């Protein structure tokens, strides 16, 4: 059930009425309200998940049951061996579906197209945070399986995150959450902003990117432009999704930390990873990098820890060589950050974009060919200037024709609308980096505030993509 569809909106609306209607009917009986709200949201998670494929619901139920059971198991006495067994059992479905199947396919034992259970990479890590929080004493083990099952299957974040932390969410699930007008209105604002990013900008960039990838003789200039636009498509696609699900959770009174914080305004790749997919980067920091020794070891070991952490990040994202190279590139860039202290937003964006080329490519060969095509850009631009300087009239017309041939492999693909909205988004991002959006808009006069709301809603209604694209991170 894609979160940008009318069906999802209807699902949330019905759930909203049942949730707060039930709380109102139960009135002051706090215990019954807590059980009712937890049971309703858990059932909502199962319905949401079953919509994608009923066959994979047992995988989700296994993860819920395993997390609860191992929480009780580790609460009695924790050892390194017990923690290892618990984590391995929680990882088992992910290893079987995502990695063993890939290896068997490479070996020729399996063939054909296989579907990955939706969100398995995300809810597996969530269940691990609960078990390790119990093992470390951060949380008591839940004797009641319902809160743990709700945490693992929480419907807003189950498909593509953010990766929730048990110590952040379980206390929220255990409290009565009455209707909060400000939380609901803020949630609706986040949802609208997420739909704008996803439907108006990200999805409208796709036709151009696909046209360049599918062209046999696309110029280096077109390849570079497509790579830059893919960087924004991926960001706005995932950031848009995150805003929608964070806003959805906020409708019901639950606070999920932000997952993106202006990553393309970072001055280094290290800073980028403090601002990009924050829930994953913080998970890798706390559960991979720190246990390896983090930065508390000798310098050479620090570099090894960084490379290994980002190698694991690449493996988590996918099981091909392109993802491994993508992860290693980011590890290498962060190692270089430690050696070279110069900071640059433009350089950081270019390095991240180069890495995205591998992330998006079907093979390492395709990624290398794309990067190699960038070498042709100076010659292509010089040829363009030479055409403009040629004798005779109509030089600007010739320039426009030559530019269109250079940049647009297909004549019927247009970029003006998404680029205008992208530039608008970039301007807003420059402002909101130092002035958080929700507090700022709340502080404005009603006329300005409602003008912004209506313009945002109008953009989503009238400029959304004709054919919405599935969220890129759903495949992970």
């Amino acid at each position: 059930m894609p979160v940008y569809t009318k069906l999802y909106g209807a699902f949330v609306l019905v759930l909203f009425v049942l949730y707060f209607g039930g709380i109102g009917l139960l009135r002051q009986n706090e215990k019954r309200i807590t059980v009712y709200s937890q049971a309703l949201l858990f059932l909502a998670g199962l319905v949401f998940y079953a919509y994608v494929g009923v066959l994979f619901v047992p995988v989700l139920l296994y993860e819920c049951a395993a997390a609860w059971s191992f929480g009780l198991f580790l609460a009695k006495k924790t050892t390194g061996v017990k923690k290892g067994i618990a984590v391995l059992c929680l990882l088992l479905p992910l290893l079987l579906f995502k990695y063993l199947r890939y290896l068997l396919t490479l070996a020729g034992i399996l063939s054909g197209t296989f579907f990955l259970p939706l969100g398995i990479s995300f809810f597996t890590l969530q269940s691990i945070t609960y078990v390790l929080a119990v093992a470390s004493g951060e949380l008591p083990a839940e004797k009641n399986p319902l809160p743990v099952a709700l945490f693992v299957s929480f419907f807003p974040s189950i498909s593509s995150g953010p990766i929730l932390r048990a110590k952040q969410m379980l206390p929220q699930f255990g409290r009565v959450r009455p209707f909060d007008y400000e939380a609901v209105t803020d949630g609706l604002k986040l949802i609208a902003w997420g739909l704008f990013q996803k439907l108006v900008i990200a999805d409208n960039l796709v036709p151009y990117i696909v046209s360049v990838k599918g062209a046999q003789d696309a110029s280096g200039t077109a390849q570079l432009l497509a790579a830059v636009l893919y960087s924004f498509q991926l960001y706005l696609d995932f950031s848009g999704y995150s805003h929608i699900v964070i806003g959805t959770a906020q409708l019901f009174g639950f606070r999920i930390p932000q997952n993106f914080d202006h990553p393309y305004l970072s001055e280094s790749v290290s800073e980028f990873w403090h601002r990009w997919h924050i829930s994953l980067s913080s998970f890798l920091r706390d559960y991979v990098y720190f246990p390896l020794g983090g930065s508390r070891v000798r310098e050479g070991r620090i570099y090894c820890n960084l490379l290994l952490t980002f190698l694991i990040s690449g493996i988590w994202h996918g099981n091909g060589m392109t993802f491994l190279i993508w992860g290693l590139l980011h590890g290498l860039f962060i190692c270089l950050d430690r050696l070279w202290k110069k900071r640059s937003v433009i350089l950081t964006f270019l390095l991240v974009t180069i890495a995205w080329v591998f992330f998006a490519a079907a093979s390492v060969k395709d990624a290398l060919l794309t990067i190699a095509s960038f070498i042709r850009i100076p010659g292509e631009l010089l040829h363009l200037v030479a055409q403009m300087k040629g004798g005779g009239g109509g030089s600007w017309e010739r320039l426009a024709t030559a530019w269109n041939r250079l940049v647009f492999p297909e004549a019927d693909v247009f970029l003006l609308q998404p680029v205008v909205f992208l530039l608008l988004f970039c301007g807003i991002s420059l402002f909101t980096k130092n002035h958080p959006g929700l507090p700022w808009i709340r502080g404005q006069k009603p006329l300005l505030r409602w003008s912004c709301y209506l313009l945002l809603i109008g953009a989503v209604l009238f400029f959304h993509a004709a054919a919405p694209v599935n969220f890129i991170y759903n495949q992970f």
Side-chain angles (χ1 to χ4, degrees):
M1 190 185 301
V3 300
Y4 51 83
T5 60
K6 294 176 183 177
L7 179 62
Y8 179 78
F11 174 78
V12 171
L13 178 60
V14 171
L15 184 61
F16 186 86
V17 172
L18 292 174
Y19 184 82
F20 287 109
I23 289 175
L25 290 173
L26 293 170
R27 297 183 181 178
Q28 301 302 317
N29 194 322
E30 187 171 332
K31 185 176 181 181
R32 287 185 180 180
I33 290 175
T34 301
V35 173
Y36 170 78
S37 61
Q38 290 179 353
L40 179 65
L41 291 174
F42 173 60
L43 180 61
L46 293 182
V47 171
F48 180 89
Y49 201 78
Y51 177 83
V52 179
V54 177
L55 291 176
F56 291 132
V57 170
V59 178
L60 177 61
L61 293 176
Y62 164 84
E63 204 70 24
C64 295
W68 174 68
S69 302
F70 281 113
L72 295 174
F73 176 64
L74 292 173
K76 297 175 182 178
K77 186 179 180 182
T78 302
T79 65
V81 174
K82 284 186 174 182
K83 281 199 294 185
I85 293 172
V87 171
L88 181 61
C89 288
L90 291 171
L91 285 171
L92 190 60
L94 179 62
L95 296 174
L96 289 174
F97 279 98
K98 196 168 186 178
Y99 302 109
L100 179 61
R101 189 181 64 189
Y102 173 71
L103 294 174
L104 292 176
T105 303
L106 283 181
I109 299 172
L110 291 177
S111 61
T113 302
F114 298 92
F115 294 99
L116 194 66
L118 178 70
I120 189 171
S121 298
F122 294 90
F123 64 72
T124 297
L125 298 191
Q126 281 186 195
S127 62
I128 289 173
T129 70
Y130 168 71
V131 166
L132 294 183
V134 171
S136 65
E138 290 181 299
L139 280 176
E142 289 283 350
K143 295 181 181 179
N144 181 359
L146 185 55
V148 179
L150 171 57
F151 167 67
V152 175
S153 64
F154 191 45
F155 83 91
S157 63
I158 193 172
S159 61
S160 297
I163 300 164
L164 307 179
R165 294 293 184 99
K167 63 182 180 181
Q168 293 171 336
M169 298 306 298
L170 282 173
Q172 294 189 60
F173 292 143
R175 293 196 301 268
V176 175
R177 315 209 67 81
F179 180 85
D180 184 333
Y181 176 82
E182 186 173 291
V184 170
T185 54
D186 281 352
L188 292 172
K189 294 168 198 171
L190 289 172
I191 291 170
W193 183 236
L195 290 171
F196 173 76
Q197 293 179 65
K198 162 68 177 168
L199 298 178
V200 178
I201 308 179
D203 288 358
N204 276 319
L205 292 172
V206 171
Y208 178 77
I209 296 167
V210 171
S211 72
V212 172
K213 282 188 176 183
Q216 296 294 323
D217 55 349
S219 66
T221 305
Q223 296 271 25
L224 178 60
L225 179 58
V228 169
L229 293 179
Y230 177 80
S231 294
F232 283 105
Q233 183 219 341
L234 179 63
Y235 168 39
L236 293 166
D237 184 87
F238 199 10
S239 174
Y241 162 85
S242 296
H243 278 85
I244 294 169
V245 300
I246 291 170
T248 301
Q250 202 153 315
L251 295 179
F252 298 91
F254 300 104
R255 303 285 179 172
I256 296 178
Q258 67 176 344
N259 209 24
F260 291 89
D261 182 14
H262 306 82
Y264 289 158
L265 296 179
S266 304
E267 295 184 347
S268 68
V269 179
S270 299
E271 184 186 349
F272 171 82
W273 276 102
H274 283 92
R275 296 177 176 274
W276 174 274
H277 202 346
I278 297 169
S279 61
L280 175 64
S281 60
S282 61
F283 180 95
L284 293 172
R285 178 197 65 204
D286 295 344
Y287 297 110
V288 178
Y289 183 64
F290 285 168
L292 288 172
S295 302
R296 302 183 305 275
V297 294
R298 57 186 176 81
E299 194 71 11
R301 177 79 179 277
I302 291 174
Y303 297 134
C304 291
N305 291 345
L306 288 169
L307 289 171
L308 182 57
T309 299
F310 280 94
L311 177 64
I312 291 172
S313 174
I315 293 171
W316 179 86
H317 278 86
N319 43 30
M321 281 300 298
T322 53
F323 292 105
L324 294 181
I325 293 173
W326 171 80
L328 286 172
L329 280 174
H330 275 279
L332 178 62
F333 294 156
I334 291 180
C335 290
L336 292 174
D337 278 348
R338 293 183 64 89
L339 294 171
W340 189 37
K341 302 299 182 182
K342 187 174 181 180
R343 298 290 182 258
S344 168
V345 172
I346 295 175
L347 178 60
T348 299
F349 177 76
L350 290 175
L351 291 175
V352 170
T353 296
I354 292 295
W356 287 139
V357 171
F358 286 93
F359 187 91
S363 66
V364 175
K365 179 182 177 182
D366 287 349
L368 292 175
L369 287 173
T370 298
I371 294 171
S373 72
F374 300 161
I375 299 172
R376 305 199 303 264
I377 293 175
E380 292 169 354
L381 296 180
L382 286 173
H383 180 67
L384 197 67
V385 172
Q387 284 188 303
M388 186 180 70
K389 290 182 176 180
S395 59
W396 289 108
E397 289 80 359
R398 290 199 308 275
L399 176 64
T401 302
W403 173 256
N404 286 333
R405 275 202 222 100
L406 183 67
V407 174
F408 295 98
E410 296 181 9
D412 59 344
V413 176
F414 300 98
L415 269 180
L416 180 61
Q417 178 189 310
V419 167
V420 168
F421 281 115
L422 177 58
L423 292 173
L424 174 64
F425 172 83
C426 290
I428 293 171
S429 295
L430 287 169
F431 177 78
T432 56
K433 184 181 180 184
N434 299 314
H435 305 84
L438 284 177
W440 181 83
I441 196 70
R442 280 198 301 265
Q444 303 310 303
K445 293 181 179 180
L447 178 60
L448 176 59
R449 196 165 67 242
W450 278 97
S451 296
C452 292
Y453 298 158
L454 293 174
L455 286 171
L456 184 61
I457 294 169
V460 173
L461 289 176
F462 297 111
F463 297 102
H464 65 271
V469 181
N470 285 334
F471 286 110
I472 295 173
Y473 261 72
N474 273 358
Q475 64 185 295
F476 305 127

